[in-house]
């Protein structure tokens, strides 16, 4: 029982030690000598030993050992990934079964429930044995062992970690002092709980929860006697008693049976139960718990997991530096519920894979965002999320290919869908025209504003490109043309958007002012990452960016989806966010609420949405639509939609952004390794110059993501925005 020490049958050394315990000499001298017989103590007086013992801090300050962080899908039950430094998940005493507690006592400390942290009988036995030249015995109790492990985890300096494990008198005295104090502060079961949560079990498993998972793929509550005995036996030497290795397996069986025998001898199990447990075959998995985004339950979830990981590292609330934030995630024991909607994610991946294999140099990239919250619901691409790029195809950039560089397909961990690092994005094409619409509406141009749009626009005020060809060759100014010679004549915003008339939008941008159009794009969520775009977007150069409205700057599917989501949310921008809740120890962190702000007036956003209903085959509230570049989208989705297609010069990219009131989906197809690549390939490389792949992939993803979600119509625009007068 606690607080009781039994001395019967103990050698005289023990009774002498007991008489010294009140003064501290026991711990300072006799116990140190017994436990460390090889350590010479010349000059160490009884007084010095007592002082060394008594001067140690009485209270053991323990920092929590590293804990696993678990990342779940939005359903709060589907595990996406486990992230950790040490595979450990603390458990409360109620979750640790009695058979496991009994087994560790039988393996390490038979008198655990009799001593007060220091086992005097064991000390005396070790003293006599070691002095007689027998095998060296240490006599450390479970409490002392816990103290040693706790000191290691609580140390903030490498030197302190070494000191916590060094084979010296000082270390043993320190352990004894803390052990006796700890037993006054905690119950025996509480100490066992801490011990079993912190102890190493080999194969990357720390604590009994991780060990039960790694070796038996079960919860500790379901451990059998033989399983608990094997785990308890491993603590002494996890490598030597490793049941997953050829050399360790027979030793693991012997050690297991030794523990089972002790359990029977101590009355924890019957003799018959012990014999059955010893006869049980040793069956272990030895499968380490995977860690990180490259080991998600389904590989295509890895790109979302990576986005979450990068988001976490960017949040200053988690630490002063990116390293601090990463360490907090890897050691903090968080339960993270992400925004990943499995239905939308699986649909996006299915619709991508249906049209392009992972080994295709052209990447179909799809992102989905929830309007009004910014919650990222899906990220999918025809790539495998893997670090192993040795077997990748040669790089599609000729210069890099000649230098022996590999491409990013089929395996990559680059943030293709979200940008960052070396990924600046891809040209968005005509999906950018809506930013000109927003800027024009803000400046008083109504939806009915008409511009006579010629074939090529000879008279723009933007500087030209010396390399212009065709009818624009030799022109001193930027001379855009339309995708078709039939796109000439007078158009209003509905018709120009529905038919994607380039010359209309370049002229409109010129009248509104390029800086205002660029500003509208920024406010709606477009982030400039390419250095060339950053330079052009600066105040000094933005006025020369004539082709901005045609989507020549780089963007990502996520930025594009969120920009259209902002319009669908009546002009309320929400920062893209991958998490719904973050908790630790039952307490939620206040870091996951939508971060939203108004960036466009409601009426402006509603008017812009009204024009975007035309390209995708929907009807504007005013029934002014003329033409559609992706007229089948409305029929595929089956709900009110708004969106815009986009292609670029040379057919380098094709894109589609489409939104309902509840979900926004954007997709881009491009060669991430070589932005100059044209999709007019041929051979085994499909071409997608006009959205034959990206358009249905995006539309079907939106349809599947909206399955069972009630339809909501867009609010019509009103007043001067429809048929007012343009500014002079």
């Amino acid at each position: 029982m606690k607080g009781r020490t039994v001395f019967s049958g103990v050698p005289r050394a023990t009774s002498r030690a007991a008489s010294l315990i009140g003064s501290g000499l026991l711990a300072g001298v006799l116990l140190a000598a017994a436990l460390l017989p090889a350590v010479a103590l010349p000059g160490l007086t009884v007084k010095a030993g007592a002082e060394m013992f008594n001067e140690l801090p009485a209270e053991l300050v323990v920092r929590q050992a590293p804990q696993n962080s678990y990342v779940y899908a939005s359903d709060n039950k589907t595990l996406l990934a486990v992230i950790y430094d040490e595979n450990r998940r603390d458990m409360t005493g109620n979750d640790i079964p009695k058979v496991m507690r009994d087994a560790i006592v039988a393996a390490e400390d038979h008198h655990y429930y009799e001593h007060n942290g220091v086992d005097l009988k064991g000390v005396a036995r070790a003293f006599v044995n070691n002095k007689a030249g027998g095998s060296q015995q240490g006599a450390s109790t479970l409490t002392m062992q816990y103290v040693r492990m706790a000191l290691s985890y609580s140390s903030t300096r490498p030197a302190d970690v070494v000191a916590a494990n060094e084979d010296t008198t000082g270390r043993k005295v320190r352990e004894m002092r803390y052990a006796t104090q700890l037993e006054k502060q905690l119950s025996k079961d509480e100490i066992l709980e801490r011990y079993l949560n912190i102890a190493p079990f080999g194969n990357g498993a720390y604590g009994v929860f991780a060990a039960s998972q790694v070796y038996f793929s079960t919860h500790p509550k379901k451990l059998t006697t033989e399983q608990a005995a094997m785990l308890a036996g491993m603590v002494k030497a996890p490598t030597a008693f490793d049941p997953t290795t050829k050399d360790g397996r027979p030793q693991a069986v012997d050690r297991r049976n030794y523990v089972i025998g002790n359990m029977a001898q101590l009355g924890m199990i019957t003799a018959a139960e012990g014999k059955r447990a010893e006869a049980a075959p040793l069956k272990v998995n030895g499968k380490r718990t995977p860690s990180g985004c490259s080991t998600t339950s389904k590989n295509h979830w890895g790109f979302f997991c990576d986005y979450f990981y990068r988001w976490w590292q960017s949040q200053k609330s988690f630490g002063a530096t990116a390293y601090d934030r990463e360490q907090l995630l890897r050691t903090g024991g968080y339960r993270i519920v992400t925004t990943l909607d499995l239905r939308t994610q699986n649909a996006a991946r299915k619709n991508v894979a249906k049209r392009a294999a992972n080994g295709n140099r052209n990447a179909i990239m799809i992102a989905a965002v929830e309007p009004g919250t910014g919650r990222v619901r899906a990220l999918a691409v025809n790539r495998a999320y893997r670090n192993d790029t040795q077997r990748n195809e040669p790089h599609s950039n000729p210069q890099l290919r000649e230098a022996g560089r590999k491409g990013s397909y089929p395996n990559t961990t680059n943030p293709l869908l979200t940008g960052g690092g070396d990924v600046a994005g891809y040209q968005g094409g005509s999906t950018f025209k809506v930013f000109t619409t927003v800027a024009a509406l803000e400046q008083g141009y109504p939806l009915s504003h008409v511009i006579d749009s010629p074939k090529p626009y000879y008279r723009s005020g933007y500087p030209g490109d010396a390399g212009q060809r065709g009818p624009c060759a030799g022109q001193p100014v930027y001379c855009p043309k339309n995708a078709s010679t039939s796109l000439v004549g007078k158009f209003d915003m509905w018709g120009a958007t529905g038919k994607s008339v380039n010359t209309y939008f370049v002229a409109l941008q010129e009248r509104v002012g390029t800086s205002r159009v660029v500003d509208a794009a920024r406010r709606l969520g477009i982030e400039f990452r390419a250095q060339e775009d950053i330079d052009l977007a600066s105040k000094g150069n933005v006025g020369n960016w004539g082709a901005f409205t045609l989507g020549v700057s780089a963007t990502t599917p996520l930025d594009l989806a969120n920009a259209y989501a902002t319009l669908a949310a009546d002009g309320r921008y929400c920062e893209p966010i991958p998490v719904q809740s973050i908790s630790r120890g039952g307490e939620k962190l206040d870091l996951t609420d939508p971060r939203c702000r108004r960036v466009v007036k409601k009426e402006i956003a509603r008017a812009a949405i009204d024009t975007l209903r035309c390209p995708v085959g929907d009807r504007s509230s005013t029934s002014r639509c003329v033409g559609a570049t992706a007229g089948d989208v409305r029929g595929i989705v089956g709900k009110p939609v708004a969106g815009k297609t986009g292609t670029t010069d040379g057919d380098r990219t094709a894109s589609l952004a489409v939104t309902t009131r509840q979900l926004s989906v954007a997709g881009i197809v491009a060669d991430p390794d070589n932005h100059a690549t044209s999709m007019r390939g041929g051979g085994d490389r499909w071409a997608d110059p006009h959205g034959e792949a990206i358009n249905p992939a995006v539309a079907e993803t939106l349809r599947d993501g909206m399955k069972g979600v009630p339809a909501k119509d867009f609010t019509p625009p009103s007043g001067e925005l429809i048929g007012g007068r343009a500014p002079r």
Side-chain angles (χ1 to χ4, degrees):
M1 296 177 62
K2 185 176 180 180
R4 182 181 173 197
T5 307
V6 180
F7 295 103
S8 59
V10 181
R12 291 183 181 179
T14 302
S15 60
R16 289 199 300 271
S19 69
L20 296 173
I21 193 167
S23 66
L25 302 183
L26 170 67
V29 183
L30 179 59
L31 293 186
L35 295 171
L36 295 168
V39 177
L41 300 174
L44 178 61
T45 64
V46 169
K47 180 180 179 182
E51 289 176 350
M52 179 170 64
F53 185 82
N54 289 324
E55 287 177 1
L56 285 168
E59 184 177 355
L60 176 64
V61 179
V62 181
R63 184 167 58 92
Q64 186 182 38
Q67 303 288 308
N68 296 356
S69 288
Y70 294 87
V71 184
Y72 294 87
S74 63
D75 62 4
N76 198 17
K77 62 182 180 181
T78 303
L79 183 65
L80 302 183
V82 183
I83 299 175
Y84 61 82
D85 261 353
E86 291 183 356
N87 180 17
R88 178 188 286 105
R89 174 178 164 184
D90 278 358
M91 306 184 67
T92 61
N94 293 334
D95 288 328
I96 301 176
K98 184 177 183 298
V99 68
M100 189 66 232
R101 296 197 299 270
D102 287 346
I104 199 67
V105 169
E108 296 292 322
D109 189 353
H110 296 183
H111 302 287
Y112 177 69
Y113 289 101
E114 300 170 4
H115 61 65
N116 289 323
V118 178
D119 183 4
L120 298 181
K121 290 175 65 176
V123 167
R125 184 172 57 252
F127 182 79
V128 172
N129 179 80
N130 294 341
K131 288 298 183 183
S135 59
Q136 298 297 297
Q137 297 181 10
S140 286
T141 65
L142 277 169
T143 310
M144 291 170 62
Q145 290 179 38
Y146 168 71
V147 166
R148 180 165 65 253
M149 291 185 286
L151 286 171
S152 293
Y153 281 110
S154 298
S155 300
T156 57
R157 300 181 307 166
D160 293 336
V161 177
V162 173
N165 293 278
E166 61 188 355
D167 198 14
T168 65
T169 302
R171 189 205 91 194
K172 287 293 183 180
V173 171
R174 182 166 58 248
E175 288 176 8
M176 295 173 205
R177 169 68 162 170
Y178 285 135
T180 57
Q181 293 300 321
L182 196 64
E183 295 252 354
K184 297 175 184 178
Q185 300 164 7
L186 302 174
S187 70
K188 288 287 187 179
D189 283 344
E190 288 173 330
I191 294 171
L192 271 187
E193 173 188 324
R194 293 189 178 196
Y195 182 99
L196 288 169
N197 277 326
I198 202 172
F201 288 87
N203 281 299
Y206 294 83
V208 68
F209 179 88
S212 300
Q213 294 285 314
V214 167
Y215 293 105
F216 303 115
S217 298
T218 191
H219 192 281
K221 285 184 175 181
K222 298 181 180 180
L223 288 172
T224 63
T225 299
E226 59 270 20
Q227 290 173 337
M230 193 211 81
L231 295 180
M234 292 186 70
V235 173
K236 184 175 183 179
T239 301
F241 300 136
D242 184 352
T244 67
T245 65
K246 182 179 179 181
D247 294 335
R249 186 177 180 84
Q251 295 189 68
V253 173
D254 290 344
R255 177 71 175 166
R256 179 199 71 173
N257 292 346
Y258 163 79
V259 175
I260 293 171
N262 286 344
M263 293 175 73
Q265 185 179 0
L266 293 169
M268 297 169 174
I269 56 175
T270 65
E273 289 172 334
K275 289 185 179 297
R276 284 196 297 270
E278 289 179 356
L282 181 63
K283 297 179 180 180
V284 295
N285 298 325
K287 185 177 180 181
R288 289 180 178 244
T289 302
S291 176
C293 293
S294 60
T295 59
T296 50
S297 303
K298 290 187 178 181
N299 180 268
H300 66 89
W301 297 346
F303 291 96
F304 181 92
C305 178
D306 178 77
Y307 171 60
F308 154 74
Y309 200 89
R310 292 170 186 267
W311 174 88
W312 181 285
Q313 286 187 295
S314 72
Q315 302 302 302
K316 294 182 180 179
S317 300
F318 297 132
T321 67
Y323 174 80
D324 293 337
R325 299 161 202 157
E326 180 181 27
Q327 284 303 107
L328 185 64
L329 176 62
R330 297 177 69 86
T331 63
Y334 291 96
R335 180 184 178 89
I336 298 144
V337 180
T338 71
T339 59
L340 185 70
D341 178 65
L342 294 178
R343 180 177 61 187
T344 306
Q345 172 66 28
N346 294 337
R349 175 58 187 174
K350 177 190 71 175
N351 289 313
V352 164
K354 185 164 43 173
R355 292 167 175 88
N358 288 356
N360 196 305
R361 63 172 167 83
N362 291 315
I364 297 182
M365 300 164 281
I366 291 180
V369 176
E370 183 178 85
T373 66
R375 288 172 175 164
V376 180
R377 294 306 192 185
L379 294 170
V381 60
N382 55 314
R383 296 287 187 270
Y385 188 84
R386 294 194 185 97
N387 287 309
D388 182 13
T389 59
Q390 291 300 310
R391 297 183 180 180
N392 277 10
E393 296 292 331
H395 207 285
S396 56
N397 184 309
Q399 294 179 334
L400 296 178
R401 183 169 60 246
E402 290 178 8
R405 287 275 299 276
K406 296 285 188 178
S408 66
Y409 56 101
N411 301 327
T412 187
T413 56
N414 290 338
L416 301 180
L417 298 125
T418 58
D422 295 332
V423 179
Y426 327 90
Q427 291 185 348
S430 293
T431 58
F432 270 45
K433 287 174 179 171
V434 72
F435 306 134
T436 305
T437 299
V438 169
L441 291 166
E442 290 177 330
Q443 293 304 305
Y445 289 88
L447 297 176
S448 59
H449 182 64
V450 174
I451 295 177
D452 192 356
S453 306
K455 295 181 181 178
Y457 181 31
Y458 291 111
R459 298 179 181 178
S460 81
Y462 297 110
D465 182 355
Q468 292 181 128
R469 299 178 180 178
C472 295
Q475 293 294 322
V477 296
Y478 175 51
C479 181
K481 54 184 181 296
N482 296 316
S484 169
T485 56
S486 64
L487 299 179
V488 295
K490 295 181 179 181
F491 294 93
D492 56 21
M493 288 191 199
W494 291 285
T497 302
K499 292 190 173 184
S500 199
V501 183
N502 294 341
T503 54
Y504 178 95
F505 280 97
V506 172
L508 183 60
Q509 174 182 272
E510 191 174 12
R511 297 179 188 187
V512 171
T514 312
S515 61
R516 292 190 176 98
V517 176
V518 172
D519 177 63
R522 275 184 169 141
R523 282 183 282 132
L524 288 166
I526 300 299
E527 182 177 342
F528 299 113
R529 298 179 181 86
Q531 190 59 51
E532 180 182 4
D533 293 344
I534 294 171
D535 293 341
L536 283 169
S538 65
K539 291 182 179 179
N541 296 321
V542 71
N544 296 330
W545 208 351
F548 180 79
T549 189
L550 304 184
V552 295
S553 64
T555 188
T556 66
L558 180 59
D559 283 359
L560 204 54
N562 202 44
Y564 277 64
T566 301
L567 293 173
D570 284 344
R572 190 167 176 78
Y573 167 83
C574 297
E575 178 185 321
I577 190 169
V579 291
Q580 289 184 182
S581 69
I582 303 173
S583 59
R584 181 168 63 176
E587 293 187 13
K588 286 190 175 183
L589 278 66
D590 187 21
L591 294 169
T592 60
D593 292 337
R595 306 171 188 181
C596 305
R597 64 183 184 272
R598 178 158 302 286
V599 295
V600 173
K601 292 180 179 179
K602 285 184 180 180
E603 288 299 318
I604 299 293
R606 291 170 179 174
I609 283 287
D610 205 56
T611 68
L612 291 174
R613 300 182 75 171
C614 300
V616 291
D618 208 348
R619 298 295 298 172
S620 74
S621 60
T622 54
S623 299
R624 298 285 187 90
C625 289
V626 178
T629 53
D632 57 347
V633 170
R634 174 62 171 87
I636 293 172
V637 177
K639 291 179 173 67
V641 291
K644 183 72 183 74
T645 56
T647 56
T648 54
D649 287 347
D651 295 321
R652 295 185 180 93
T653 70
S655 55
L656 173 66
V658 63
T659 186
T660 62
R661 291 285 298 275
Q662 302 101 317
L663 187 64
S664 175
V665 180
I668 300 176
V669 56
D671 179 355
D673 297 335
N674 185 8
H675 294 179
T677 302
S678 172
M679 286 177 290
R680 292 174 179 161
D684 63 344
R685 308 293 189 187
W686 51 262
D688 192 25
H690 302 296
E692 287 89 347
I694 196 66
N695 289 0
V698 169
E700 291 170 20
T701 297
L702 181 58
R703 175 199 65 196
D704 298 341
M706 288 288 295
K707 187 176 181 180
V709 179
K712 284 187 179 181
D713 207 349
F714 295 101
T715 305
S718 61
E720 293 291 311
L721 293 177
I722 296 177
R725 293 184 178 182
R728 295 181 179 178

